[in-house]
Amino acid sequence: MDITIKERRPEDKKMIPAFDAKLGFGRHFSDHMFLMDYSSAKGWYNPRIEPYQYLNLSPAAMCLHYGQEIFEGMKAYRNEEGEIFLFRPEENIKRMNRSASRLVMPELDVDFTVNAIKKLVELDKAWIPPVKGYALYIRPTMIAVDPFLGVKPSDTYLFYVITGPVASYYPEQEGKLKAVKIYVTDKYVRAVVGGTGEAKSAGNYAASLRAQLEARDAGYAQVLWLDGVEHRYIEEVGTMNIFFVKDGVLYTSPLTGSILPGITRDSVIKLAPHLGYEVREERLTIDEVLSGIESGEISEVFGTGTAAIISPVSHVAYRDRDFEVGSGDVGPIAQRLYETLLGIQYGEIEDPFGWRVKLA
Ligand code: COI
């Protein structure tokens, strides 16, 4: 399939925002988007790059009623030499295909889709901040578009990709590595095994909003979720996976079925041993975590995600108590992983795993 390209006229191009801490996350969108349609009769068809625009959807479109929506989060990085890289982009599309399978949506051709994303990024490369810690965020999205109100999988879908320059996901980080505070809830659950927790689907995020609001009101950046059955085992943060450094060993929750299989999580699991740290994918209970933080056995806590990168955690709050991790500062292991990961992503250091995909 050939991709048709309709460029925005030079006089209609949007203003590119300043690449500074005020940029925030997810507020600005670049000039173009990729779109492609699907019907069960034709498969995927009409792949095209067009000016960024509102979608023309029926108010009865099924995605708006029953949540048949999946998405991905990836980034394009540009260094001071002007080189542009994607990071493991095929992993995002493979994960999108697993999400699609869970939500009974059509799968994408991995190579074709990565290539389409490369073309889109190339066209809007002026929007990629040439500043470390900043990037062009890429949001592949798939929605069910049949105008129908019966509950069943749609027969038609739209896949589209929008992009936009971003700084840190957490406003308090202002484009730098700064620790954030998280809040553990045992009142709400994010996902249960057998549900859609491991798919990257809108409904998982909608389900998290009430708890997130309560965490924000209490002064915390995000919610740390416990397992949905016993409310004891650490799962993830929703916007990131979570790691604990206990007696020098990195622990993260195994992929039990209710946790998002993060690509940054996977990268840290592979990168950390390369830097000399042991990693264990083992379940920790909230009691083990809190007593470990109190005794100093747990010296660091940090989250991992495409948007969150490596986000150190300074405080963990649970049932009216607030536990400071170490001295509340960025820990040395989080710092080293952050620098190494960014070094690879921005093409500054050797890429021992072949994760970078160079665009220019
Ligand atoms: C990402 O890290 O890219 C994500 O998709 C998480 C999102 C909630 C910002």
Side-chain angles (χ1 to χ4, degrees):
M1 277 192 298
D2 286 337
I3 300 174
T4 315
I5 300 181
K6 186 168 137 205
E7 280 194 51
R8 195 182 280 271
R9 294 187 312 185
E11 60 273 32
D12 294 338
K13 288 226 164 130
K14 301 199 272 180
M15 271 264 290
I16 300 180
F19 298 145
D20 59 26
K22 285 203 287 302
L23 188 61
F25 178 91
R27 294 179 204 289
H28 302 277
F29 302 100
S30 45
D31 276 318
H32 297 91
M33 65 192 292
F34 174 82
L35 303 109
M36 178 163 70
D37 302 298
Y38 178 93
S39 76
S40 26
K42 291 200 230 176
W44 288 111
Y45 66 98
N46 195 15
R48 59 206 186 271
I49 290 175
E50 293 186 351
Y52 179 93
Q53 62 198 273
Y54 282 16
L55 300 174
N56 190 7
L57 276 188
S58 162
M62 292 182 77
C63 60
L64 302 175
H65 300 273
Y66 308 124
Q68 219 189 350
E69 188 271 6
I70 54 174
F71 69 95
E72 272 301 318
M74 19 196 327
K75 281 177 174 171
Y77 308 87
R78 195 212 305 239
N79 63 23
E80 284 170 7
E81 281 78 57
E83 294 174 305
I84 298 167
F85 301 100
L86 299 179
F87 183 73
R88 311 184 72 188
E90 67 293 341
E91 293 303 320
N92 288 90
I93 308 307
K94 286 189 205 158
R95 182 173 64 186
M96 191 160 206
N97 282 344
R98 296 197 299 275
S99 301
S101 166
R102 178 64 182 84
L103 277 280
V104 201
M105 299 171 84
E107 295 190 11
L108 296 156
D109 182 282
V110 175
D111 291 343
F112 177 83
T113 309
V114 169
N115 193 35
I117 290 171
K118 282 185 189 169
K119 278 203 163 69
L120 179 67
V121 170
E122 180 69 40
L123 188 61
D124 278 341
K125 65 179 176 210
W127 290 78
I128 314 174
V131 189
K132 209 161 161 197
Y134 292 63
L136 185 79
Y137 190 72
I138 304 167
R139 175 51 64 90
T141 310
M142 195 192 294
I143 54 175
V145 295
D146 272 11
F148 180 61
L149 296 185
V151 179
K152 71 165 192 72
S154 179
D155 286 323
T156 57
Y157 294 86
L158 174 69
F159 172 71
Y160 64 87
V161 185
I162 52 174
T163 74
V166 296
S168 299
Y169 183 75
Y170 300 114
E172 51 271 55
Q173 290 182 322
E174 299 170 327
K176 305 254 159 28
L177 185 64
K178 275 197 205 148
V180 295
K181 297 159 83 174
I182 56 175
Y183 174 96
V184 185
T185 181
D186 57 5
K187 181 166 156 200
Y188 303 104
V189 298
R190 175 186 171 275
V192 288
V193 174
T196 57
E198 65 181 352
K200 207 157 172 62
S201 179
N204 293 333
Y205 296 81
S208 74
L209 296 177
R210 171 59 54 198
Q212 191 189 318
L213 204 72
E214 292 182 13
R216 278 269 163 197
D217 286 348
Y220 294 85
Q222 282 293 322
V223 174
L224 174 58
W225 298 97
L226 303 178
D227 75 280
V229 177
E230 293 183 63
H231 300 191
R232 281 180 68 210
Y233 295 100
I234 304 291
E235 295 235 311
E236 62 156 289
V237 174
T239 47
M240 55 190 190
N241 296 110
I242 190 102
F243 285 74
F244 301 89
V245 181
K246 188 172 169 223
D247 294 326
V249 175
L250 276 63
Y251 287 79
T252 194
S253 314
L255 300 176
T256 52
S258 51
I259 293 172
L260 188 87
I263 292 156
T264 314
R265 172 190 180 279
D266 181 70
S267 305
V268 165
I269 289 173
K270 295 190 164 96
L271 191 57
H274 189 74
L275 300 177
Y277 306 111
E278 186 186 341
V279 182
R280 293 193 198 151
E281 290 179 75
E282 279 176 29
R283 299 218 291 183
L284 293 179
T285 64
I286 181 64
D287 292 338
E288 283 171 313
V289 164
L290 299 179
S291 63
I293 293 174
E294 253 189 333
S295 70
E297 228 182 337
I298 292 183
S299 57
E300 291 186 45
V301 180
F302 60 87
T304 61
T306 299
I309 317 177
I310 304 278
S311 284
V313 171
S314 61
H315 294 77
V316 179
Y318 184 59
R319 293 184 176 163
D320 299 328
R321 287 189 66 193
D322 183 83
F323 298 78
E324 189 177 48
V325 184
S327 56
D329 292 331
V330 176
I333 298 181
Q335 179 82 40
R336 187 149 175 237
L337 285 165
Y338 177 83
E339 279 166 15
T340 313
L341 189 65
L342 259 62
I344 295 174
Q345 289 171 333
Y346 288 80
E348 293 174 347
I349 59 173
E350 195 211 339
D351 174 18
F353 302 96
W355 286 336
R356 279 196 293 259
V357 173
K358 192 161 189 267
L359 252 79

